[in-house]
Amino acid sequence: MLIDIPSELEAALIDRFLPPWELDGSFLAQSTMEEYRTELTVTPRFEETAATLRHALAGEGGGYAVLRLGNLAKVLGVDDDRFLRLATGFAAEVAVPFSPFPRWPLWKDIGVKVDKDPGKSSGIGYNAFHMDLVNGTMPPDYTTLLCVRPDPLGGGPSILSDAHAAVARLSEDSRALLAETAYHYGTFFDLHGVGEEYKPFPILDGSNPGERFVRFTAKMLERSQLGQAHADAARELAEELVRGQVSFMLQPGDYLIVNQRRFLHGREALHSGQETVPVADRRLLLQLFLRARAGDGSAA
């Protein structure tokens, strides 16, 4: 769902100053969230917009939203501290912002590296459907991406797919295989706020079917040793995710928020010729993770 910011709200936010945030460990401090909320809720139509955002992410049939902050980005600068604080304030209306990576700031850069594994988030190739931090016992409930610069050559649209709808189209036998604790992917080192390493794990866990994680990354098909039957079931799921995908190009200031209990995400390949683009002009996103508050239905 695309959410445009009402003009009255845009005009008021340009003049709204939020103080620098503070962290409590790897999480945004409660005092900062309260301060941001106090400042923002007196802004015309903020609460209405925040409610629309929450419904798009956790309401019936929802699971992702793109908050169109481009006009604010033009005025304030998309990587300016004032703009990032406003984006953080919107994020805190959904859940608690945090960074699972102690060596990175709250917002983590995802740039483009032509010599990186093409399938990685900072690579130039197709980034297949996945959930972030799939091998943690407590993955982030939401993953978010703020577009600073799209690919200047026109590639790299974001892709999203309803994981539960894809699972529902699978055979009963495939779903049974995906529910077995037989999958593994990636490393687990120096991470905060995402539980313990989960290895092996089921792709389908046993919680409420409508809200459970679909612990999937297509990269496991090439980079993990899986038994034939389990690999075939995961491959079938990958195909269904592609069949049900939506895609769109993020523009400067667009803020994509994905409910990881409902949708998986990825990215089409960047346009060829990235090595000719100066590093400072290449595609750049900022990533932030969110943890649902205790008692929030999306954390069921």
Side-chain angles (χ1 to χ4, degrees):
M1 179 178 182
L2 300 179
I3 301 177
D4 290 309
I5 304 300
S7 57
E8 312 97 288
L9 178 55
E10 282 184 338
L13 288 176
I14 288 170
D15 297 323
R16 184 68 61 187
F17 178 83
L18 299 181
W21 58 69
E22 294 184 1
L23 299 181
D24 181 2
S26 58
F27 289 82
L28 190 67
Q30 181 67 28
S31 58
T32 294
M33 288 189 287
E34 291 173 355
E35 194 168 10
Y36 284 10
R37 173 150 246 279
T38 298
E39 288 290 329
L40 292 172
T41 51
V42 298
T43 309
R45 302 190 68 180
F46 176 80
E47 289 199 279
E48 169 193 332
T49 304
T52 300
L53 176 61
R54 288 191 294 267
H55 181 75
L57 293 167
E60 184 176 355
Y64 74 92
V66 179
L67 198 58
R68 312 297 297 273
L69 302 176
N71 290 337
L72 284 171
K74 287 178 184 176
V75 175
L76 300 177
V78 72
D79 54 356
D80 182 85
D81 285 345
R82 284 183 58 200
F83 178 74
L84 284 182
R85 291 171 198 162
L86 290 172
T88 304
F90 275 107
E93 290 295 307
V94 174
V96 183
F98 78 106
S99 171
F101 310 110
R103 60 192 179 280
W104 293 97
L106 187 63
W107 290 86
K108 175 180 179 289
D109 287 10
I110 299 180
V112 175
K113 299 176 181 176
V114 296
D115 55 350
K116 187 92 171 180
D117 179 340
K120 295 288 189 180
S121 58
S122 58
I124 62 175
Y126 175 65
N127 189 11
F129 280 112
H130 63 281
M131 69 172 289
D132 288 328
L133 294 150
V134 66
N135 59 336
T137 54
M138 296 171 54
D141 295 291
Y142 299 88
T143 185
T144 83
L145 295 167
L146 178 63
C147 181
V148 177
R149 288 188 301 274
D151 176 5
L153 300 180
S158 297
I159 55 175
L160 292 164
S161 192
D162 184 330
H164 295 286
V167 168
R169 294 192 295 269
L170 300 177
S171 67
E172 187 174 337
D173 288 345
S174 291
R175 289 197 297 270
L177 287 164
L178 295 174
E180 294 181 2
T181 305
Y183 297 90
H184 53 93
Y185 174 77
T187 58
F188 194 90
F189 174 74
D190 198 18
L191 297 174
H192 289 182
V194 293
E196 307 298 325
E197 182 174 15
Y198 197 3
K199 178 182 179 180
F201 55 81
I203 289 178
L204 304 182
D205 68 31
S207 61
N208 179 4
E211 295 291 347
R212 66 190 178 188
F213 286 118
V214 177
R215 290 178 175 275
F216 180 76
T217 171
K219 299 180 183 74
M220 69 172 66
L221 295 170
E222 297 179 355
R223 303 175 192 181
S224 299
Q225 294 296 317
L226 302 175
Q228 190 63 50
H230 291 100
D232 287 346
R235 191 167 288 108
E236 185 181 350
L237 174 56
E239 292 169 356
E240 288 299 332
L241 289 166
V242 172
R243 189 150 71 96
Q245 79 176 33
V246 296
S247 66
F248 46 82
M249 189 73 75
L250 294 175
Q251 299 301 323
D254 281 351
Y255 187 27
L256 169 63
I257 305 177
V258 182
N259 184 339
Q260 291 215 117
R261 293 181 181 272
R262 299 190 180 190
F263 272 70
L264 299 178
H265 67 285
R267 188 208 65 227
E268 299 284 2
L270 302 182
H271 198 283
S272 60
Q274 292 296 314
E275 65 281 353
T276 69
V277 180
V279 172
D281 295 335
R282 292 175 185 166
R283 183 179 189 263
L284 177 62
L285 304 179
L286 300 179
Q287 185 170 46
L288 176 70
F289 297 99
L290 309 178
R291 170 69 63 214
R293 295 173 177 84
D296 188 327
S298 64

